[in-house]
């Protein structure tokens, strides 16, 4: 017993030694950024385990612009907001839509992109999309997103299948667990339609614009409430890369349309 | 192989194994302390052990993990801000290992308690009558014999724990399941990756079952096995 306890004490002490206290830089010369890799092509993991994608490139470009030394911290989507508020990192660059609800727990930068949402389903399955046409049908949508809210508010007579991640909308759709998916018109949807399993599916109806950048919607960089110095710095950086062509280069690397949404 | 993601997944496997092994060590410590407390003569020790096993076994692992990792961090931040210490980070690895160890310690408490009770009381009494100290009785008489009774329950807990270690991805650790999930999202080949992960888990658990059955056989040397 005594030996076991001593071993445990040593173990815990060794583990604790790994954690060092480090001071936060008030001038934001060092920034830790929460990212994920579940939303290609915005964020994905390459075979060597490194994260890449539009979000990662934009984050790096802003950091270079504002001359900050940035560290990317990998974080599962579900833990993003708690981790931000627990100061695990200083901002989130993970295609997070700016919503009234999220604004209660974080401040957002200006929108860095804004793309319409789209309906997706078996080709020709629905000729019109409205609450009456989808009555009793099962709609697949990512939970905790403005899209989920839109569906729950407007399609009250339909069943809703909430999935954890954007990529699962098309996975579930391909597996036949719903009648129609509602997702981003780029990202998962575009890649899915090009893949073999997406061959019999297509976009249905007209693209839907929820909120939009003009009404303070779109996708932004989340920061802890009250970090105004950081927010102004990031906004200035974003404005600069949008003006000097860096944003356009990154945009064109991934998409054939401009998603800046200004 | 695996669209080139095999090395990335194997790196995740290393983390999964590290988390599982360290959590097991911590769970054993908590389990032994818990079992001794439950069998102790002190009412306070018995009560605290009872609260520990009831509370921990009654709450979902995920909830506990989030409470300890984020709740704990926010608590530490408040304290650090008030004292002006700056930011103190709880590393996710430490939090994950401690939480899983703490949780499974509660299950092992019950396993160990049952195993200790299975050793006939007379043996410990005989040891004491021969003037062995209490520690000697514990180490030389009770523990070697309880292992035999503890192995089946211990094996169960270990198997569940290896799989539960996948929960650490929620607190930002890059374990095998998390890696496979990201690779599946990136390549859009979920079946390939989850199948690979399933096979790796099956290998891990099969090896564990084999090793633990050998350990059980070793500790059962003094007991005749019934042949049918």
């Amino acid at each position: 017993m005594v030996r076991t306890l001593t071993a445990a004490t040593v173990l815990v002490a060794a583990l604790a030694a790994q954690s060092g206290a480090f001071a936060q830089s008030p001038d934001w010369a060092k920034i830790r950024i929460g990212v994920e890799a579940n939303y290609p092509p915005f964020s994905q993991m390459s075979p060597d385990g490194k994260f890449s994608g539009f979000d990662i490139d934009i984050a790096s470009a802003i950091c270079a612009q504002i001359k900050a030394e940035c560290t990317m911290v990998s974080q599962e989507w579900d833990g993003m907001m708690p981790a931000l508020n627990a100061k695990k990192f200083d901002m989130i660059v993970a295609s997070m839509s700016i919503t009234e609800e999220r604004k209660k727990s974080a401040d957002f930068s200006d929108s860095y992109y804004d793309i319409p949402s789209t309906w997706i389903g078996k080709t020709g399955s629905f000729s019109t999309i409205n609450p009456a046409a989808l009555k009793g049908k099962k709609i697949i949508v990512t939970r905790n997103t403005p899209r989920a809210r839109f569906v729950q508010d407007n399609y009250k007579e339909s069943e809703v299948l909430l999935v954890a991640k954007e990529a699962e909308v098309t996975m579930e759709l391909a597996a036949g667990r719903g009648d129609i998916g509602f997702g981003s018109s780029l990202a998962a949807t575009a890649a899915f339609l090009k893949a073999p399993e997406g061959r019999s599916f297509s976009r249905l109806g007209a693209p839907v614009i929820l909120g939009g950048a003009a009404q303070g919607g779109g996708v932004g960089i989340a920061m802890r409430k009250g970090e105004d110095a950081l927010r102004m710095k990031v906004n200035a950086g974003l404005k600069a890369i949008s003006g000097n062509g860096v944003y356009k280069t990154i945009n064109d690397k991934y998409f054939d349309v401009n998603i800046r949404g200004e | 192989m695996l669209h080139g993601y095999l090395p990335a997944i194997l790196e995740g496997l290393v983390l999964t194994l590290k988390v599982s092994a360290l959590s097991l060590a911590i769970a054993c410590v908590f389990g032994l302390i818990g079992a001794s407390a439950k069998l102790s003569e002190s009412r306070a020790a018995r009560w605290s052990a009872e609260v520990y096993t009831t509370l921990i076994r009654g709450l979902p692992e995920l909830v506990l993990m989030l409470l300890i990792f984020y709740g704990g961090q926010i608590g530490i931040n408040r304290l650090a801000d008030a004292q002006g210490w700056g930011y103190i980070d709880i590393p996710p690895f430490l939090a994950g290992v401690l939480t899983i160890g703490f949780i499974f310690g509660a299950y092992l408490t019950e396993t160990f308690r049952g195993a200790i009770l299975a050793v006939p009381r007379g043996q410990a009494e005989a040891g004491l009558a021969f003037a062995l100290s209490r520690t000697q009785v514990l180490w030389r008489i009770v523990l070697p014999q309880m292992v035999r009774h503890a192995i089946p329950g211990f094996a169960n807990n270990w198997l569940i724990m290896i799989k539960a270690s996948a929960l650490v991805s929620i607190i930002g650790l890059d374990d095998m399941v998390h890696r496979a999930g990201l690779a599946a999202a990136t390549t859009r080949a979920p079946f390939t990756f989850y199948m690979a992960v399933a096979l790796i888990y099956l290998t891990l658990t099969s090896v564990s079952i084999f090793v633990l059955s050998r350990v059980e056989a070793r500790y059962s040397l003094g007991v005749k096995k019934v042949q049918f």
Side-chain angles (χ1 to χ4, degrees):
Chain A
M1 195 71 177
V2 175
R3 256 182 287 173
T4 327
L5 275 177
T6 320
T9 318
V10 172
L11 184 77
V12 171
L15 286 171
Q18 289 187 343
S19 68
F22 55 88
Q24 202 124 33
S25 51
D27 55 345
W28 297 110
K30 284 184 183 163
I31 304 175
R32 291 163 306 150
I33 305 179
V35 292
E36 53 127 37
N38 243 316
Y39 195 42
F42 291 94
S43 58
Q44 56 205 5
M45 186 179 72
S46 26
D48 59 2
K50 288 214 169 63
F51 288 8
S52 59
F54 181 83
D55 281 338
I56 316 291
D57 286 356
I58 289 291
S60 310
I62 292 177
C63 288
Q65 183 67 41
I66 62 178
K67 298 197 171 52
E69 189 188 310
C70 290
T71 332
M72 305 284 173
V73 182
S74 156
Q75 174 64 52
E76 267 287 299
W77 176 252
D78 284 337
M80 276 290 177
M81 277 295 187
L84 176 73
N85 284 315
K87 298 190 187 173
K88 290 282 160 192
F89 38 73
D90 308 307
M91 58 194 211
I92 301 171
V93 186
S95 292
M96 188 176 270
S97 303
I98 305 170
T99 65
E100 286 308 315
E101 252 169 277
R102 288 190 182 130
K103 276 189 198 160
K104 284 178 197 152
S105 44
D107 284 346
F108 280 90
S109 72
D110 295 338
S111 150
Y112 68 97
Y113 76 82
D114 190 11
I115 45 176
S117 306
T118 190
W119 295 95
I120 181 168
K122 278 255 191 268
T123 311
S125 54
F126 297 96
S127 50
T128 47
I129 308 279
N130 55 44
L134 294 187
K135 188 176 170 185
K137 302 290 178 189
K138 194 180 265 182
I139 304 172
I140 311 167
V141 67
T142 312
R143 69 178 182 226
N144 299 330
T145 59
R147 278 192 277 279
R149 234 199 132 140
F150 171 78
V151 168
Q152 283 165 330
D153 288 350
N154 296 292
Y155 290 78
K156 292 199 163 83
E157 311 251 323
S158 307
E159 269 186 81
V160 179
L161 172 60
L162 294 173
V163 295
K165 294 160 198 149
E166 188 66 24
E168 286 171 14
V169 172
T170 51
M171 279 188 203
E172 296 284 350
L173 193 63
R177 277 192 279 270
D179 301 296
I180 192 165
F182 188 54
S184 154
S185 63
L186 281 173
T189 323
F192 170 72
L193 291 174
K194 282 180 207 147
E197 63 269 29
R199 207 176 296 144
S200 57
F201 293 86
S202 52
R203 292 188 177 119
L204 304 172
V208 183
I209 294 168
L210 309 168
Q215 287 119 51
V219 167
I221 298 170
M223 285 158 254
R224 278 184 298 281
K225 279 201 149 315
E227 301 282 19
D228 293 336
L230 177 63
R231 194 161 51 85
M232 270 142 74
K233 216 169 166 179
V234 168
N235 279 341
L238 177 63
K239 204 166 175 199
I241 63 164
S242 306
N244 67 10
V246 173
Y247 187 99
K248 190 178 181 313
T249 315
I250 298 172
N251 184 102
D252 296 351
K253 182 173 155 196
Y254 295 97
F255 311 108
D256 41 19
V257 288
N258 178 4
I259 63 166
R260 184 68 183 87
E262 272 180 326
Chain B
M1 212 176 134
L2 288 179
H3 304 265
Y5 282 88
L6 186 65
I9 298 213
L10 290 180
E11 264 174 48
L13 171 64
V14 172
L15 187 99
T16 296
L17 288 174
K18 269 194 205 159
V19 169
S20 308
L22 279 174
S23 306
L24 182 72
I26 292 169
C28 283
V29 175
F30 278 116
L32 282 174
I33 296 174
S36 331
K38 278 210 161 179
L39 297 170
S40 121
E41 281 146 24
S42 143
R43 187 184 289 248
R46 281 204 308 272
W47 265 95
S48 22
E50 196 60 45
V51 169
Y52 169 53
T53 54
T54 310
L55 208 63
I56 300 299
R57 292 190 304 161
L59 289 174
E61 284 95 349
L62 183 63
V63 172
L64 276 171
M65 183 145 314
L66 290 174
L67 273 178
I68 296 178
F69 187 62
Y70 293 119
Q73 181 74 63
I74 290 168
I76 288 184
N77 288 346
R78 293 236 172 98
L79 183 71
D81 282 348
Q83 305 285 330
W85 293 336
Y87 176 74
I88 300 168
D89 191 44
I90 304 184
F93 185 78
L94 180 73
V97 163
L98 282 179
T99 313
I100 297 182
F102 189 62
I103 293 167
F104 281 86
Y107 292 93
L108 284 181
T109 295
E110 294 299 334
T111 306
F112 290 159
R113 187 182 68 100
I116 290 172
L117 287 177
V119 178
R121 179 116 189 91
Q123 301 223 6
E125 281 168 0
L128 289 174
F130 276 105
L132 294 181
S133 72
R134 291 182 79 96
T135 326
Q136 281 174 319
V137 167
L138 182 72
W139 277 104
R140 299 194 184 168
I141 297 176
V142 179
L143 279 182
Q145 295 193 82
M146 74 162 261
V147 169
R148 182 168 67 91
H149 300 289
I151 290 275
F154 180 83
N156 264 343
N157 278 316
W158 164 243
L159 295 181
I160 297 171
M161 211 181 74
I162 295 183
K163 292 175 281 174
S165 70
L167 285 177
V168 295
S169 71
I170 197 76
I171 59 172
L173 279 180
D174 231 4
D175 79 307
M176 179 168 62
V177 176
H178 185 222
R179 281 274 168 107
L182 297 184
T186 303
T187 59
R188 258 164 261 287
F191 187 74
T192 316
F193 287 99
Y194 291 126
M195 199 63 196
V197 166
L199 286 175
I200 295 175
Y201 271 117
L202 196 59
T203 313
L204 281 183
T205 49
S206 306
V207 170
S208 308
I209 290 170
F210 175 75
V211 170
L212 285 167
S213 70
R214 297 309 289 263
V215 174
E216 192 181 1
R218 173 78 184 79
Y219 277 94
S220 304
L221 277 180
V223 186
K224 221 176 201 161
K225 216 175 187 175
V226 182
Q227 302 275 354
F228 289 101

